[in-house]
Amino acid sequence: MKRIYLPYYKILMLLIACFGVRTASAQNKLEYTISLNIKQIKIATLLTEIGKRGGFFFSYGSDMVPADSLVTVNVSNKPIRLLLDQLFNNDVAYKEAPGYIILRPAPNRLKLMPDAADDAETAFNISGYVVDDETGAPVRYASVYENRLLVSTLTDDRGYFKLKLKSVGAITLTVSKEMYKDTSVSFLSKVTVVLKNTNFGYAADTGASQLNRSWLGRLLISSKLRQQSANIGQFITNVPVQTSFIPGWGNHGLMSGQIVNKFSLNILSGYSAGVDGLELAGLYNLNKNDVRYVQVAGLFSVVGGNFKGVQLAGLDNKVYKDVKGVQVAGLFNRVDNAAGVQLAGIANINKNVSSGAQVAGILNVARKMRGVHVGVINIADTLDGVAVNLISFSRSGYHQLSVFTDDNMITTLGYKTGTAAFYTRLTAGVNLVEAARYYTYGFSFGHDFEFKKNLMLSAEFNTQFLLSDKWNDTHQLNRFSALLNVPVAKKLSVFLGPSFTLYDQGQNNTIAEQQAVVKNNKLALTGIGSSFKCWIGWSVGINLF
């Protein structure tokens, strides 16, 4: 998307910058001459061939171009612009972007009819109507703007508009509307009007489209601002400072959605094309395109493009594309791809790749996880990093059901998730021996040292909570184990190894209950304190993959 930087030069330089540069750019690829003699070729194939010869690609919607329709082309040294006019019967507008020519439907023409244009020494008061050039019908909600002064308005239901512009010398009003080609009218100091049809083109604005059409955008962005964005989405400029109270109520008015700010102060909330510096909001920030460096909001921030830097929000950060840097949110961080650090009170949700560190109070989600991910639950299609959690769901990770016995419990069930780098295991067991009747539940984490395929040594720490058969007492066992895993079948392995157990007897259980646990372990060692016992034990079991 082309950006037009706000100039501060004299009128002559403004005219050269606004019109001369744009004309030179527009005569780049669209004015490239081409010769073709092809019979019965699909339009999509023809556009690809033209793009190859010109060194660019065409971008267009599948519902706009009849890609499978057959055409015959015989031209010699003809500009691409004229070939496209012939091919699409003048019903398509064009916009150049780096490496692309973007096509959009524009079957209609606008006509601007000023009914008053009074120029004072430093101001123009202009009003008039915008109508359909063919039918004469009024065109409502068309954008009328001066792209140098950043002043704009929308036509009403009658197609009427009124603008007051502070300027010395010539000004140019541009009228834009979806499905129409742009029209410009130049006003000189003597109010001489020159009417011309100009195709300023179109720049695909995916982020703006998604933001404006989302339920949040429809709720928080006024219909006038959304219509303005649809009409003149191709016009983006940069200014140093913006202040606003709510979207549309600020020093840039209806043009706020077309401006990238260096510093943006939104008392309650704001809406802009993007930020290239610092943005602060009491409640929320809404940005159509990219944001860089620092963004802070009391409630949430929404970025339609990419984000780079530090993003802080009391509740939620939503980025439609990629994030590089740090995100901190009280509830959620939601992005496409993330590289850096994400901290969220509830969840980090990435559509594609998460690289770096994710820390969430409950949930981390990504298609591919790289780095370190800390949460209660981690969900990923591919897990390349380390997931520190209670449960990890990953297609490429562990999903093992364990059944084992040890020196404390006759039967224990476990569910192992994660990867060899870091795994977790939820456990529950029962011991029904009369001398020591109790139940357990617990949690393990560990690392697998892989020697060869499926032959591993697991270093594991496990903590278990013991409930006596009276269900009124809880005690704790902590175990350090070294477990050798040996495969015996395609989806079956056996593990066994020694363990060291530290038992917290607590202060409430009876002497008989304390002795019951220790009596069950013949290798009990001398206690290390009045409420602790420790011993060397063993574990043996199977893993079902």
Side-chain angles (χ1 to χ4, degrees):
M1 181 177 291
K2 185 175 179 183
R3 292 182 178 179
I4 305 172
Y5 291 90
L6 184 66
Y8 295 97
Y9 306 103
K10 295 182 179 180
I11 297 299
L12 179 62
M13 295 301 294
L14 284 171
L15 295 174
I16 293 174
C18 292
F19 301 107
V21 173
R22 180 180 290 155
T23 302
S25 174
Q27 292 178 347
N28 189 5
K29 293 181 173 59
L30 285 169
E31 299 303 322
Y32 177 83
T33 59
I34 192 169
S35 298
L36 288 171
N37 186 3
I38 305 176
K39 295 182 179 180
Q40 295 298 292
I41 184 174
K42 291 182 178 180
I43 290 181
T45 307
L46 175 62
L47 293 177
T48 301
E49 179 63 25
I50 295 172
K52 286 182 179 178
R53 297 194 183 191
F56 58 87
F57 297 94
F58 281 99
S59 175
Y60 53 86
S62 59
D63 58 341
M64 184 191 77
V65 174
D68 293 330
S69 297
L70 298 176
V71 295
T72 296
V73 179
N74 185 4
V75 296
S76 178
N77 294 323
K78 192 170 188 177
I80 291 176
R81 175 178 53 80
L82 296 181
L83 175 58
L84 293 174
D85 284 340
Q86 176 184 328
L87 186 65
F88 296 111
N89 196 29
N90 290 309
D91 288 340
V92 172
Y94 324 117
K95 166 66 180 179
E96 285 200 43
Y100 289 87
I101 289 180
I102 303 168
L103 309 180
R104 70 156 181 172
N108 305 310
R109 302 293 181 270
L110 292 167
K111 186 175 183 180
L112 190 151
M113 301 188 304
D115 65 355
D118 301 324
D119 64 316
E121 291 185 0
T122 60
F124 282 91
N125 293 296
I126 304 172
S127 61
Y129 294 85
V130 176
V131 299
D132 186 291
D133 189 42
E134 181 176 350
T135 66
V139 178
R140 64 176 184 172
Y141 306 138
S143 295
V144 183
Y145 63 99
E146 215 291 337
N147 61 12
R148 178 172 60 90
L149 302 175
L150 301 181
V151 177
S152 70
T153 188
L154 291 174
T155 58
D156 62 17
D157 290 338
R158 300 174 297 149
Y160 179 77
F161 72 92
K162 185 175 182 179
L163 275 176
K164 182 177 182 179
L165 306 116
K166 294 182 179 180
S167 178
V168 177
I171 64 169
T172 298
L173 288 188
T174 299
V175 185
S176 296
K177 175 68 177 176
E178 287 183 291
M179 305 301 293
Y180 286 86
K181 283 193 173 182
D182 292 355
T183 294
S184 289
V185 176
S186 295
F187 293 84
L188 304 178
S189 57
K190 298 298 183 181
V191 199
T192 301
V193 177
V194 178
L195 186 64
K196 61 180 180 179
N197 284 332
T198 304
N199 175 22
F200 286 119
Y202 177 74
D205 197 350
T206 305
S209 176
Q210 292 185 85
L211 172 59
N212 291 341
R213 294 176 184 176
S214 68
W215 70 270
L216 193 62
R218 294 194 302 270
L219 176 66
L220 300 178
I221 302 171
S222 70
S223 59
K224 288 187 176 181
L225 283 171
R226 286 186 277 117
Q227 184 66 62
Q228 181 90 308
S229 181
N231 291 341
I232 58 172
Q234 77 278 6
F235 176 78
I236 299 293
T237 190
N238 287 50
V239 300
V241 178
Q242 183 228 216
T243 58
S244 76
F245 188 72
I246 60 174
W249 288 18
N251 60 327
H252 297 313
L254 288 178
M255 290 295 285
S256 62
Q258 314 311 125
I259 296 174
V260 176
N261 306 288
K262 290 288 185 182
F263 173 71
S264 179
L265 176 62
N266 304 313
I267 307 302
L268 293 181
S269 56
Y271 176 62
S272 68
V275 176
D276 194 21
L278 172 63
E279 182 171 46
L280 305 174
L283 296 181
Y284 58 86
N285 299 304
L286 301 173
N287 308 94
K288 294 199 305 182
N289 300 313
D290 297 346
V291 173
R292 292 200 301 174
Y293 303 130
V294 180
Q295 188 177 55
V296 182
L299 295 181
F300 60 87
S301 292
V302 182
V303 177
N306 301 305
F307 180 86
K308 182 178 181 180
V310 178
Q311 189 178 43
L312 308 175
L315 297 181
D316 180 44
N317 289 312
K318 167 66 175 176
V319 179
Y320 279 92
K321 294 183 180 178
D322 299 345
V323 170
K324 292 183 179 179
V326 178
Q327 279 189 308
V328 181
L331 298 181
F332 302 100
N333 289 311
R334 298 174 295 150
V335 307
D336 194 356
N337 297 286
V341 178
Q342 291 182 296
L343 306 175
I346 293 181
N348 293 304
I349 301 174
N350 296 355
K351 288 184 178 180
N352 292 308
V353 180
S354 172
S355 302
Q358 278 188 321
V359 180
I362 297 177
L363 178 67
N364 290 310
V365 177
R367 184 180 61 82
K368 189 170 186 177
M369 287 185 176
R370 298 170 178 164
V372 179
H373 308 272
V374 181
V376 178
I377 301 173
N378 287 323
I379 301 175
D381 179 70
T382 303
L383 179 58
D384 286 346
V386 176
V388 181
N389 52 267
L390 284 174
I391 301 176
S392 178
F393 297 101
S394 172
R395 182 176 57 84
S396 62
Y398 290 153
H399 301 280
Q400 299 178 0
L401 178 64
S402 305
V403 182
F404 60 95
T405 184
D406 56 38
D407 54 293
N408 296 309
M409 302 297 297
I410 293 179
T411 305
T412 301
L413 297 178
Y415 181 65
K416 183 178 180 180
T417 62
T419 63
F422 186 91
Y423 69 82
T424 59
R425 193 196 314 261
L426 299 177
T427 61
V430 61
N431 193 34
L432 298 178
V433 177
E434 285 296 333
R437 183 187 300 272
Y438 47 86
Y439 308 86
T440 70
Y441 64 93
F443 170 81
S444 303
F445 63 85
H447 174 80
D448 285 335
F449 297 91
E450 299 180 272
F451 300 117
K452 58 181 182 178
K453 187 176 181 180
N454 291 332
L455 181 62
M456 296 177 293
L457 180 66
S458 302
E460 181 174 305
F461 172 79
N462 169 261
T463 184
Q464 290 180 321
F465 296 94
L466 280 65
L467 299 171
S468 70
D469 59 351
K470 297 180 181 179
W471 300 94
N472 60 356
D473 224 347
T474 302
H475 319 293
Q476 186 174 350
L477 285 175
N478 295 304
R479 297 167 60 87
F480 299 89
S481 303
L483 305 172
L484 181 65
N485 293 265
V486 181
V488 295
K490 184 177 180 180
K491 293 188 177 182
L492 177 66
S493 68
V494 174
F495 64 89
L496 71 163
S499 63
F500 176 79
T501 302
L502 179 63
Y503 172 50
D504 181 5
Q505 299 181 99
Q507 301 298 324
N508 297 325
N509 49 324
T510 66
I511 295 177
E513 290 171 338
Q514 295 177 16
Q515 291 176 345
V517 176
V518 178
K519 181 180 178 181
N520 196 43
N521 299 279
K522 297 180 180 179
L523 296 178
L525 303 178
T526 304
I528 61 174
S530 59
S531 63
F532 290 93
K533 294 290 182 179
C534 56
W535 59 82
I536 295 175
W538 51 269
S539 297
V540 59
I542 60 173
N543 284 323
L544 302 172
F545 295 86

